[in-house]
Amino acid sequence: IYRWDLELRQVVRTFREHPTGPVVTRSWSADGSLVASCTHDRETKVWSALSGQVIAEISGRFPQFSSDTNQLAVVGSSSGSHAVNVWRLKPPEVLETVRMLQSGSSALENVELSSSGAFLAASSREGVRIWETDQLTQKGSIELPGAHGLVALPDDQGWLAHSRRGLHQVSLDGAVERAEAWGKLADPRGDAGYCRLAAAATGERLAAFTAPGTLTLIDAANGIQHQVYTGHNETPIAVSPDGAFVVSAIDNGNLNEIFAWDFLSGRQVFRIGDCGRGYLKMAFSKDGRKLVVGSTVHHRCWLRAGVGQWRLLYETPRNELGMWGACAFSPDGKILAAVDTQRVIKLRDAETGREWCTLRSPAPQPHIADLAFSPDGNKLYVASMNHCLQVWNLAQLRGKLAKLGLDW
């Protein structure tokens, strides 16, 4: 069996281990991770579409996968029976690299590591929970009703969390106090819907919605504050790593557009049109050269081509139309992690969009909401709406891929 890349028009994988005769039928799993093939001798093999390795051998023919890829039905067996046999497939080996941490009774919406990566915070409508990343032990739980925005402060000073009670600083040991240094952002909010929050890597510039449709930009170091009326308050925002500008998505009816405002002047500096429909997620690469926008239908990566100029680098469609298009760049800028379906994350080449690996959550219907890489890029933390925090060991995964010549 040959697997072809239709864009490159070349064979990218060959499946050869059928010594008993020619292949007469084959079947792809719904998620594209597995291939089943059989011969006249009623021998069915199940292959990893990524590595080309045989992961199961089953007696029977005419294989068909279930929609969740967890079961395979075949007709008959080597004895010639006409019964339909259903086999439950062992989860792929890659699932050994993921751990699930329970996070209470409320859906997680944001996940953020401390600046050193030693601690992890996740926010929900109940508040903020903190874990130690080395042993994955929970350090504390802070009650902050309506907590949504969450950003890390430099030098392991903890995090800023935005909620109905206003802006608070949360320390690594779980202590919490109002962030008075940020002015009116510290004031209590009556509606958690306006708690979008983003900050520059330096921690000195912060952007947040402080009123319906009003985006407030604060430069704490220089005592500068601007208010920008966007007309929309339920849109995501992101600050460039150098703190030069803030971007926000504006829904203009048939499409979303990205607008950017200069932090020092508060003026609009550029606009990116047609960034997809539905709810968006945005993320900058660490060097600020790339901006990825995840919508309900695709992810689009934009490359900074000059001052105020961005060009589309690539677009990757999603296999399931859903609310969350969460995405994140690895610290070295080589990998883009992007949510494909409610339980699948694709790891892609950040320069080309080429798929390297698929991470499938072992939890049913996790509804992935947010992603964050560890500072060394060896772990991927995933916040989900089913009250679980997933921790993927990418170093272990890369070791397995390297043995197959597939490491990135």
Side-chain angles (χ1 to χ4, degrees):
I1 299 177
Y2 298 96
R3 175 187 168 191
W4 290 77
D5 186 311
L6 297 182
E7 292 184 356
L8 299 177
R9 297 185 181 182
Q10 66 183 31
V11 175
V12 294
R13 183 69 61 201
T14 303
F15 308 90
R16 298 182 180 277
E17 298 183 24
H18 262 303
T20 59
V23 174
V24 292
T25 58
R26 53 99 189 101
S27 175
W28 278 89
S29 63
D31 63 1
S33 64
L34 300 176
V35 179
S37 60
C38 73
T39 65
H40 282 299
D41 292 336
R42 298 184 176 89
E43 177 192 68
T44 292
K45 290 181 182 287
V46 182
W47 316 72
S48 166
L50 179 64
S51 67
Q53 301 295 305
V54 175
I55 64 173
E57 296 186 29
I58 296 172
S59 181
R61 56 180 177 170
F62 306 122
Q64 289 294 326
F65 288 97
S66 61
S67 58
D68 61 4
T69 315
N70 290 332
Q71 299 180 87
L72 180 70
V74 294
V75 176
S77 64
S78 58
S79 62
S81 170
H82 294 288
V84 175
N85 298 314
V86 179
W87 295 79
R88 183 174 295 278
L89 299 175
K90 180 182 178 180
E93 187 181 11
V94 69
L95 294 185
E96 296 175 5
T97 65
V98 64
R99 286 189 60 180
M100 308 291 290
L101 303 177
Q102 293 297 321
S103 63
S105 60
S106 186
L108 296 180
E109 297 188 17
N110 294 97
V111 60
E112 188 83 14
L113 280 100
S114 63
S115 57
S116 68
F119 296 89
L120 174 77
S123 67
S124 69
R125 295 289 167 158
E126 292 178 345
V128 178
R129 291 177 182 266
I130 301 173
W131 287 269
E132 185 181 10
T133 56
D134 186 22
Q135 301 297 326
L136 296 179
T137 54
Q138 186 169 315
K139 294 283 291 182
S141 178
I142 299 100
E143 181 183 351
L144 280 177
H148 189 83
L150 189 67
V151 297
L153 292 171
D155 303 322
D156 263 359
Q157 299 177 63
W159 302 267
L160 291 175
H162 208 192
S163 73
R164 285 197 293 265
R165 294 179 180 175
L167 187 67
H168 287 73
Q169 182 169 340
V170 179
S171 66
L172 300 182
D173 60 6
V176 60
E177 61 181 0
R178 290 187 65 204
E180 302 287 356
W182 295 95
K184 66 179 301 181
L185 289 185
D187 297 338
R189 296 293 317 149
D191 189 338
Y194 309 140
C195 295
R196 306 291 181 188
L197 188 70
T202 61
E204 296 179 345
R205 292 180 177 178
L206 193 68
F209 281 102
T210 54
T214 301
L215 184 62
T216 298
L217 316 180
I218 297 180
D219 184 330
N222 298 307
I224 297 174
Q225 176 175 312
H226 298 287
Q227 288 190 328
V228 176
Y229 182 71
T230 67
H232 300 266
N233 55 275
E234 276 298 319
T235 58
I237 54 179
V239 177
S240 61
D242 60 2
F245 54 87
V246 58
V247 295
S248 179
I250 305 297
D251 185 355
N252 288 328
N254 293 327
L255 55 86
N256 282 294
E257 294 182 292
I258 300 296
F259 288 81
W261 293 272
D262 180 81
F263 244 99
L264 294 180
S265 67
R267 296 178 181 176
Q268 182 182 320
V269 289
F270 67 84
R271 182 182 72 179
I272 301 176
D274 192 8
C275 290
R277 291 158 177 79
Y279 188 85
L280 300 185
K281 286 276 191 174
M282 299 183 292
F284 281 99
S285 59
K286 190 174 182 179
D287 60 7
R289 294 180 56 249
K290 298 185 187 71
L291 172 65
V292 63
V293 181
S295 72
T296 56
V297 295
H298 52 57
H299 287 88
R300 285 181 172 173
C301 184
W302 302 82
L303 180 67
R304 193 173 186 176
V307 178
Q309 298 180 340
W310 295 76
R311 66 177 178 85
L312 183 63
L313 192 59
Y314 55 82
E315 175 184 317
T316 59
R318 297 180 62 192
N319 287 320
E320 179 180 81
L321 301 183
M323 180 177 179
W324 305 104
C327 43
F329 286 100
S330 61
D332 61 7
K334 294 181 179 180
I335 298 298
L336 170 66
V339 173
D340 188 51
T341 71
Q342 65 176 352
R343 62 181 300 188
V344 171
I345 300 169
K346 301 283 190 180
L347 300 185
R348 299 183 180 276
D349 186 307
E351 291 291 335
T352 65
R354 176 188 176 187
E355 181 183 334
W356 282 114
C357 183
T358 295
L359 306 181
R360 174 178 290 274
S361 170
Q365 298 182 331
H367 294 283
I368 298 169
D370 197 19
L371 309 170
F373 282 92
S374 61
D376 60 8
N378 286 333
K379 290 187 175 68
L380 179 66
Y381 298 90
V382 182
S384 58
M385 303 292 283
N386 68 345
H387 316 159
C388 283
L389 179 72
Q390 303 173 32
V391 185
W392 290 88
N393 189 334
L394 300 185
Q396 183 179 352
L397 175 61
R398 290 186 68 175
K400 295 176 181 179
L401 292 176
K403 294 178 181 178
L404 302 173
L406 298 172
D407 186 24
W408 56 79

